[in-house]
Amino acid sequence: MRQPTTYEIVIRGRVSARLLRPLLDDFFLDHAGDGVTRLVGDIGDSSHLHGVLAHLISVNIEVISIAPLGADGPGRRA
């Protein structure tokens, strides 16, 4: 079985936890001071990533970037 990859998803604005509720079990939520919200969490495979993106699009959230984090990268959860 493939190990999940930790991703950082950056979205524009301060997004409420209510809109992100379906994702909060899998992601850490950080409202950065620079006008963006960061989600950091483990993605199991491409279908999981597509599902996360589908949810964000369905609630009209603008995704700025999606990037895998290295094993020792910032935001890595133990």
Side-chain angles (χ1 to χ4, degrees):
M1 180 176 213
R2 190 172 163 226
Q3 290 294 322
T5 302
T6 301
Y7 277 83
E8 177 185 58
I9 302 172
V10 180
I11 52 184
R12 187 168 315 283
R14 184 176 175 91
V15 180
S16 74
R18 183 181 60 80
L19 288 176
L20 299 174
R21 186 166 319 224
L23 306 177
L24 294 181
D25 287 342
D26 296 331
F27 288 90
F28 170 76
L29 174 67
D30 177 34
H31 294 293
D34 53 356
V36 299
T37 299
R38 288 181 172 76
L39 298 171
V40 177
D42 292 334
I43 301 285
D45 56 27
S46 61
S47 64
H48 184 192
L49 178 59
H50 287 210
V52 169
L53 293 176
H55 172 73
L56 294 174
I57 291 167
S58 74
V59 292
N60 203 28
I61 291 175
E62 182 181 351
V63 176
I64 296 172
S65 68
I66 303 167
L69 298 178
D72 297 324
R76 177 71 179 165
R77 295 187 299 172

